[in-house]
Amino acid sequence: MTKLVIASKAPVVAYSELIAARLVNAADPSSVEIEFTEDKKSPAAAFEDNSESVLKRIVDRYPNAFGQSSENTSEWTKFAAEELTVKNFAKLSVSLEKLDAYLNLRTFISGAQSYSPSDIACWGSLRSNGMVGSIIKNKVYINVSRWYTLLEQVPEFGTAHEFLTKSVQELKKLASSGKKKETHKANFEIDLPD
Amino acid sequence: MSALLENFRSLSLSNELSKEQLALATQWETVVKSGQIQGHIEELNLRLRDHSFILGTVTPTETDAIVFESVFTVIKDLLASSKDVKGHYAQYRHIIRWCAYLQEILEVSEDNKLSLNYDLELPR
């Protein structure tokens, strides 16, 4: 079993990586252990204790869980990470326009019969971007909205956020029930000025 | 049963349909049966603008296969005969995209396929 750690309080929550891991687990249960941390100093995502190109390493490790990726995955992953997470409206518009044009005649970014790592990367980045919700809803970029809502119907995509919130809640519950006495004790040990 | 529909059934895709989706399915299948699909091209394009598949499912349904069978030739003629190819691409882009997807999964033979320029620049 491999381990993925997601920082739930990262400025850009690693939804793509989370979705990828959930897809791996859907194809082959408990392949990836998914953990969450609320530590703000943690990298957004770490797979096997390494925070470099996490999505790519998950995909490479479990190729069977992902559709064929005939297209340029690394280019789209870069586009997703650098351009779709931007919270500047003017800049984001240009990127969304590009994605919209690309999806004019394609059901998926890969142009294949199902979603590919490129779709996962772009969808996850958009999910993490608070500015995107209303843009999708208002169908400003009609092709992007259609593609986004299609993938939202796939449980591993659509319920990723719910999965995260629930897991973090459980984490908190566990921490407060198991360590109550110790936290209490620790409170007395704080050095207070006289 | 047509070969295309047979191909579709062999894919064993399944979607649970709501009442609304079932009603839509009947509606589109009636249009096909009555031979009126040509008059509903605009409506189909609009439907496919917001939905990847006709019933709004995550994978295609039999309705897609049935409608595809009658729309495919219409679209092919449109793109083959027209002077204003780009204009038609732009106008019916959603049906074209949907046809491009279905012709792959339904294994339309190579010489019958629509050959598309996926990177044609279309106005928004």
Side-chain angles (χ1 to χ4, degrees), chain A residues 33-47:
Chain A
E33 186 188 348
I34 304 171
E35 268 190 27
F36 293 93
T37 172
E38 293 198 281
D39 186 352
K40 284 180 182 153
K41 282 178 210 144
S42 294
F47 183 57

Side-chain angles (χ1 to χ4, degrees), chain A residues 94-115:
Chain A
V94 176
S95 308
L96 285 174
E97 221 164 278
K98 185 180 156 187
L99 180 59
D100 193 65
Y102 197 78
L103 289 170
N104 259 328
L105 299 171
R106 291 176 178 89
T107 301
F108 295 105
I109 293 174
S110 58
Q113 293 173 15
S114 190
Y115 50 80

Side-chain angles (χ1 to χ4, degrees), chain B:
Chain B
M1 191 166 66
S2 75
L4 277 177
L5 200 54
E6 229 169 285
N7 281 357
F8 180 81
R9 291 202 173 141
S10 71
L11 293 170
S12 64
L13 295 167
S14 68
N15 284 289
E16 281 207 24
L17 299 178
S18 67
K19 274 188 185 158
E20 199 190 330
Q21 287 170 319
L22 287 171
L24 257 175
T26 316
Q27 188 196 316
W28 281 104
E29 282 160 31
T30 311
V31 169
V32 171
K33 265 187 214 143
S34 66
Q36 301 292 309
I37 198 70
Q38 198 121 23
H40 289 79
I41 293 282
E42 299 289 343
E43 194 186 339
L44 181 64
N45 192 58
L46 191 64
R47 178 75 195 158
L48 293 170
R49 188 189 73 175
D50 299 331
H51 302 90
S52 295
F53 306 110
I54 296 176
L55 304 184
T57 44
V58 68
T59 51
T61 59
E62 225 168 271
T63 307
D64 290 290
I66 292 167
V67 177
F68 173 79
E69 194 165 25
S70 67
V71 166
F72 192 50
T73 42
V74 179
I75 291 297
K76 264 173 72 174
D77 288 349
L78 202 69
L79 292 184
S81 67
S82 153
K83 277 175 245 163
D84 183 19
V85 177
K86 198 166 167 173
H88 281 117
Y89 257 87
Q91 192 176 357
Y92 299 111
R93 68 183 82 182
H94 303 301
I95 299 187
I96 294 170
R97 178 200 72 248
W98 170 83
C99 281
Y101 184 91
L102 286 174
Q103 70 176 358
E104 293 304 324
I105 67 158
L106 296 176
E107 296 180 350
V108 172
S109 65
E110 284 304 322
D111 45 333
N112 272 322
K113 269 185 190 168
L114 257 181
S115 71
L116 293 171
N117 174 3
Y118 288 97
D119 294 309
L120 191 67
E121 272 188 45
L122 303 176
R124 276 193 64 202

